[in-house]
Amino acid sequence: MLVTETTEKKSKLKSLDTLFIKTYGCAMNVYDSSRMSDLMQSAYGLRIVDEPADADVILMNTCSIRENAENKVYSELGRYKKIKDKRPDLIIGVGGCVGQQEGERIQQRAPYVDIVFGPQTYHRLPEMVKEIRRNRVNLTETDMPEIEKFDHLPKPKVEGLTGYVTIMEGCDKFCTFCIVPYTRGAEISRPPEDILKECQQLIDAGAKDISLLGQNVNAYHCENEDGETVGFADLLHLVGGLEGMERLRFSTSHPMEMTTELCEAFAEIPTLMPYLHLPVQSGSDVILKAMHRGHKRDDYFKAIDELRLHTPDIALSSDFIVGFPGETEEDFEMTLDLVRKVGYDSAFSFKYSPRPGTPAAKAEDDVPEHVKDERLQRLLALLREQSRERMEKQVGKTSQVLVESKGKNEGDLQGRTPDFRIVHFKGNPRLIGQTMPVKITAAYNMSLRGELLIED
Ligand code: SAH
Ligand code: SF4
Ligand code: F3S
C-alpha cells in the first residue's frame, strides 16, 4: 500500500452512514460494485444512496476500454470536489480499470481523492477507509495479488431476480487494441467449489437468472478439490444442475475457445439459456490477424454452425470495431458480409479508439473520423434491420417469460424470454418472480408485446 501524508489537519470523526457508487464499464465492474457495496455494508453498515451529495463515501468504479475514459473520470470528480469543499470529511475513492492504470497520477491531478484502487484490491476498502479516517492520508492500492479478493468478500446480496458471479479474472489474449490485460491482469480462474457456493447463495437469496462473468469465460479451467481439471463446459454442467437453478447465462466468450462440449452444452443443460454473446470484432482475416484475435472468419462460421446444429434457435450477439488501423473499404465490407451470413439478434458496435500502452496504439490511427462514422452507421443500419427481422419472427410464438417487474405502462408487467428479449404484457404484479407462458403478439425494435396464456 502506498501512503502519502497530506497537509490536511486531522478532523474530528463523524460516523459513516451512507455510500454512493458510480459504475462504468462491463458486467464485471457491475459485479465488483455490488461486492464493494456488500463489503462496505457489512464493515461499516453503510446504506446506499442515489445522490453523491447525500453520501459520506463516494466510490467510482471506472472503465478504460474506450477513448475519453480518463477525462470522464476527472470531470465527474470535479462534481465530487464541490461536495467535498463543503464537507471535508467526505471520502472519495477511485477504483476499477482507470484506477489501476493511472494509480497515483489521479491524486496528483485531483489531490482531494483519498483512495485509488484497482479491480483486484477493492476487498481492502474497509481497511483503507479506516486508515484514512485515522490518519487523513492518501492511499494507492494497485498491486495485483492473485485473486485473493474473493476470499475476503461477504455473502452476496440479490436485488431483483438477477445474479452475477465472476468466475475468472483478467485476460491473456492481448488483442492489440485492448487495454483489459493491462488493467485486469493475467487470466486466473476461481475454484469450482467457490463458484458453486456463491451461485447457491444467490439462488437461496432469490436469484432466478444467474450470469457467469469473465472477459473470456470459455478459457475457464481450474482444478477442483480432488485435483481434477474442470473446464468451462464442465463448470456449466455443475452450476446448471444446482438445486433451484432456473436460468443460467454467461458472458463473454471468445471464438477461439468454442469447443464442441460448449456448443453441445446449450442443448444438454436445460437451465442454460439459448443466448450467446460471441464477439468477432471484424469479418476480415487481414484485420483479425492485425488485431491478434487468433482465429479466421471461417473458424467463426464453423463455431456458429456447430452451435446452431444443436440449438437452432439460439440468439446471437457480438461486438464489432470499425476503423481499426489499416481497415480498407474491402475489409469493412467483409464485416458486413459476415453479419449477413451469421444473422445477429443484437450487437454492440464501436469506432476504434487507440488506448495508450496497447500495441495497436503504436500504429497510425489512419482511418479518418468521417470514414469511421460512415462505416459505423452502415453497420448499425444492417444490424438494426437484422435484429428487427428476428424480433418479428417471434410473433405468434409462445415463450416462457420470467416476470421481472412492473412495466412502465399502467397494468403492464415486464419480463424476459429465455433468449433474453424483453416482453411487456398485462398481468397481476404478484406474478413477479414466476415464469409464465406468454404468447407474443407484436414486435418492436428493442422489445416484444405479449399476452399471458394462463389466467392470473
Ligand atoms: N473480452 C471481450 C471484450 C471485452 S471489451 C472479448 O474478447 O470479446 C468489450 C468490447 O469493447 C470489445 O469486444 C471491443 O469490441 C470493444 N473495444 C475494446 N477495445 C476497444 C478499442 N480500443 N476501441 C474500440 N472498441 C474497443
Ligand atoms: Fe480484450 Fe481481447 Fe482479452 Fe477480450 S480477449 S478482453 S478484447 S484482450
Ligand atoms: Fe472497462 Fe475494465 Fe470492464 S476497462 S470493460 S471495466 S474490464
Side-chain angles (χ1 to χ4, degrees):
M1 189 184 323
L2 205 126
V3 179
T4 328
E5 288 287 344
T6 62
T7 50
E8 240 168 293
K9 279 190 222 113
K10 285 188 193 179
S11 44
K12 204 162 162 270
L13 291 186
K14 173 193 170 293
S15 75
L16 291 182
D17 297 320
T18 47
L19 170 68
F20 173 81
I21 306 186
K22 175 92 182 168
T23 308
Y24 299 91
C26 60
M28 302 187 71
N29 260 19
V30 175
Y31 170 87
D32 287 342
S33 288
S34 77
R35 304 317 318 270
M36 286 179 209
S37 140
D38 294 342
L39 194 65
M40 295 300 275
Q41 282 184 21
S42 82
Y44 287 99
L46 295 192
R47 176 168 54 82
I48 293 282
V49 289
D50 298 331
E51 289 297 327
D54 298 333
D56 299 323
V57 180
I58 295 180
L59 299 176
M60 276 179 94
N61 196 7
T62 60
C63 168
S64 38
I65 201 81
R66 279 173 291 273
E67 65 186 333
N68 262 332
E70 298 78 21
N71 293 343
K72 253 193 263 166
V73 171
Y74 288 112
S75 76
E76 186 73 13
L77 278 174
R79 287 179 53 205
Y80 302 157
K81 180 178 186 298
K82 290 197 186 116
I83 306 173
K84 191 155 178 163
D85 285 343
K86 288 190 210 130
R87 284 194 289 118
D89 278 337
L90 174 66
I91 295 174
I92 301 179
V94 178
C97 292
V98 178
Q100 183 66 41
Q101 237 199 328
E102 294 285 289
E104 288 156 63
R105 281 198 294 272
I106 294 185
Q107 283 145 328
Q108 282 159 12
R109 224 173 121 175
Y112 49 90
V113 170
D114 302 283
I115 315 170
V116 176
F117 55 102
Q120 312 305 357
T121 44
Y122 65 78
H123 58 289
R124 298 185 191 153
L125 268 171
E127 244 178 82
M128 296 190 259
V129 168
K130 194 161 144 202
E131 176 71 20
I132 283 174
R133 279 161 61 78
R134 210 187 300 136
N135 297 323
R136 268 292 156 195
V137 289
N138 281 353
L139 302 179
T140 314
E141 274 270 24
T142 47
D143 53 342
M144 288 204 186
E146 272 213 6
I147 52 171
E148 60 171 51
K149 71 178 179 197
F150 296 107
D151 300 333
H152 295 80
L153 299 173
K155 254 192 191 183
K157 294 210 178 62
V158 176
E159 269 170 45
L161 303 169
T162 40
Y164 299 92
V165 178
T166 292
I167 63 164
M168 64 184 312
E169 275 288 335
C171 181
D172 288 345
K173 295 278 188 295
F174 288 93
C175 301
T176 53
F177 54 81
C178 184
I179 197 78
V180 171
Y182 309 92
T183 60
R184 292 248 166 196
E187 215 164 76
I188 304 173
S189 299
R190 289 178 73 187
E193 291 84 4
D194 287 10
I195 296 168
L196 285 165
K197 188 171 152 209
E198 196 168 319
C199 288
Q200 191 65 61
Q201 286 172 338
L202 288 173
I203 294 170
D204 295 345
K208 297 194 186 286
D209 193 319
I210 294 183
S211 293
L212 306 182
L213 303 178
Q215 286 299 352
N216 272 304
V217 283
N218 49 343
Y220 177 90
H221 61 100
C222 192
E223 277 190 7
N224 66 12
E225 280 167 359
D226 300 329
E228 298 150 347
T229 299
V230 175
F232 185 55
D234 306 323
L235 183 75
L236 287 175
H237 280 273
L238 290 170
V239 176
L242 279 175
E243 175 93 27
M245 173 63 76
E246 289 197 20
R247 294 184 167 197
L248 178 61
R249 307 177 189 279
F250 59 84
S251 187
T252 303
S253 28
H254 195 290
M256 241 167 79
E257 279 137 344
M258 286 306 296
T259 59
T260 295
E261 292 77 31
L262 180 51
C263 293
E264 289 171 353
F266 287 95
E268 289 172 358
I269 306 171
T271 51
L272 185 59
M273 293 293 108
Y275 170 89
L276 179 68
H277 182 62
L278 191 63
V280 65
Q281 317 297 355
S282 168
S284 151
D285 280 340
V286 178
I287 297 299
L288 285 172
K289 189 162 183 218
M291 287 177 164
H292 197 253
R293 289 290 288 178
H295 67 87
K296 297 190 167 175
R297 61 187 259 132
D298 276 351
D299 301 316
Y300 191 81
F301 290 138
K302 272 189 212 131
I304 302 291
D305 286 348
E306 195 170 2
L307 276 163
R308 284 186 168 148
L309 178 73
H310 303 288
T311 314
D313 285 339
I314 193 163
L316 289 173
S317 129
S318 185
D319 292 346
F320 296 94
I321 295 179
V322 300
F324 187 78
E327 187 189 69
T328 62
E329 173 62 24
E330 289 72 43
D331 291 319
F332 174 66
E333 279 172 18
M334 292 299 274
T335 301
L336 295 179
D337 179 67
L338 178 142
V339 171
R340 280 190 208 100
K341 290 201 165 106
V342 172
Y344 289 100
D345 295 87
S346 60
F348 301 92
S349 311
F350 310 102
K351 287 190 280 182
Y352 168 73
S353 63
R355 304 310 297 132
T358 60
K362 294 193 188 88
E364 194 195 342
D365 184 11
D366 58 357
V367 179
E369 197 57 25
H370 72 274
V371 177
K372 284 185 187 167
D373 278 327
E374 184 248 359
R375 287 182 189 165
L376 183 67
Q377 290 316 318
R378 281 159 70 198
L379 178 60
L380 286 174
L382 174 61
L383 287 164
R384 248 193 318 265
E385 187 189 301
Q386 265 191 354
S387 141
R388 182 63 200 239
E389 266 172 32
R390 298 171 77 85
M391 282 298 227
E392 297 283 356
K393 283 201 182 130
Q394 308 303 311
V395 177
K397 285 189 186 168
T398 295
S399 195
Q400 294 299 320
V401 173
L402 172 62
V403 189
E404 290 183 338
S405 60
K406 285 189 187 172
K408 279 199 193 96
N409 297 334
E410 186 66 35
D412 260 7
L413 295 177
Q414 179 175 315
R416 292 249 184 204
T417 63
D419 60 358
F420 215 50
R421 298 172 205 274
I422 295 172
V423 192
H424 294 106
F425 54 98
K426 293 262 171 280
N428 191 317
R430 73 181 154 72
L431 296 180
I432 292 171
Q434 296 185 44
T435 300
M436 305 299 290
V438 172
K439 180 156 185 182
I440 307 303
T441 53
Y444 307 100
N445 285 341
M446 307 291 287
S447 65
L448 299 166
R449 175 108 221 144
E451 279 166 14
L452 254 183
L453 284 186
I454 291 177
E455 291 284 318
D456 60 295

